[in-house]
């Protein structure tokens, strides 16, 4: 599979108004994986966006790190629901050049601000500004901020952002989480799909 160096220039992933890009599901109770995997990699020459997430020195190892692109992205709920992965505390996990590259999963809400924050984080990774060695970016989890389908402008933005990450998953709005129910026992089917995918990716590589 060929590498795509700058997906926001060579491929936008956008679709006509009112439609989703190929491989992208609309929000719904059964929304699961959004895009299939593509071999993307960081590269030289792409400047990072105007905002950048910090690098945090981590002494512990994790199967993967949940990196919330903004406050309230949904990292805590996802971590509890899957029972795996470590919270990166809104910064790229840095283990040092002598350690293997950490696996990272970006997390963002489906709001315009959340998706823009995810795009900025993906651009930072693509610009090789996320630590050395480059983290293994597994993909992006978009957590619905409200029930129902995304409005067309947000669908287009979601599709654009999805073009810059290897794969994207959507987690539909979950009323039980809003009411304070335990995500470990109250979660949509999409969480099971996400768990299966992440365990497979961290066993076989990205």
């Amino acid at each position: 599979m060929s590498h795509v160096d700058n997906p926001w220039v060579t491929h936008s992933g956008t679709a006509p108004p009112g439609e989703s890009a190929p491989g992208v599901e609309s929000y719904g109770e059964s929304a699961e994986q959004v895009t299939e995997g593509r071999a993307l990699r960081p590269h030289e020459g792409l400047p990072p966006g105007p905002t950048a997430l910090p690098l945090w020195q981590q002494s512990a190892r994790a199967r993967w790190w949940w990196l919330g692109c903004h406050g309230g992205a949904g990292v805590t709920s996802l971590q509890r629901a899957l029972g795996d992965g470590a919270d990166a505390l809104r910064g790229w996990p840095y283990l040092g050049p002598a350690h293997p590259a950490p696996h990272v999963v970006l997390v963002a809400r489906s709001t315009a601000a959340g998706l823009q924050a995810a795009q900025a984080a993906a651009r930072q990774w693509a610009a090789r500004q996320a630590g050395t060695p480059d983290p293994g970016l597994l993909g992006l989890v978009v957590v619905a901020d409200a029930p129902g389908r995304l409005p067309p402008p947000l669908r287009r933005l979601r599709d654009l952002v999805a073009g810059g990450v290897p794969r994207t998953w959507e987690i539909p709005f979950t009323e039980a989480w809003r009411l304070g129910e335990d995500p470990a026992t109250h979660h949509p089917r999409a969480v099971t799909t996400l768990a299966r995918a992440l365990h497979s990716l961290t066993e076989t590589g990205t």
Side-chain angles (χ1 to χ4, degrees):
M1 183 180 294
S2 62
H3 289 284
V4 178
D5 283 338
N6 190 345
W8 289 308
V9 173
T10 60
H11 170 65
S12 68
T14 57
E19 298 181 12
S20 294
V24 178
E25 295 182 9
S26 299
Y27 273 106
E29 290 303 317
S30 61
E32 295 183 353
Q33 187 164 345
V34 177
T35 60
E36 59 185 65
R38 287 161 295 152
L40 304 181
R41 64 181 180 184
H43 63 101
E44 303 292 349
L46 176 67
T51 59
L53 296 170
L55 276 62
W56 296 135
Q57 179 77 45
Q58 300 286 352
S59 58
R61 299 281 296 276
R63 185 161 188 157
W64 67 77
W65 295 86
W66 301 107
L67 176 49
C69 299
H70 56 90
V75 166
T76 300
S77 295
L78 289 171
Q79 187 178 18
R80 290 176 180 172
L82 272 71
D84 208 342
D87 188 347
L89 302 176
R90 294 184 61 193
W92 294 96
Y94 176 72
L95 302 175
H99 295 274
H103 294 297
V104 174
V105 181
L106 300 178
V107 183
R109 291 283 177 182
S110 61
T111 62
L115 293 170
Q116 289 164 356
Q119 185 179 35
R123 186 180 180 91
Q124 183 182 359
W125 172 79
R128 309 199 75 172
Q129 299 294 317
T132 304
D134 297 308
L137 182 59
L138 300 181
L140 165 68
V141 178
V142 179
V143 181
D145 69 304
R149 290 170 56 86
L150 284 175
L154 290 181
R155 289 204 300 272
R156 290 192 292 270
L157 178 57
R158 175 205 58 191
D159 293 348
L160 175 65
V161 176
V165 294
R167 54 190 65 80
T168 308
W169 299 271
E170 289 187 76
I171 303 298
F173 182 79
T174 306
E175 185 70 19
W177 293 0
R178 184 184 189 189
L179 297 175
E181 300 288 350
D182 185 1
T185 55
H186 296 79
H187 55 253
R189 186 180 66 180
V191 167
T192 302
T193 300
L194 174 61
R196 187 183 304 118
L198 292 180
H199 279 92
S200 176
L201 287 167
T202 52
E203 286 174 356
T204 61
T206 60

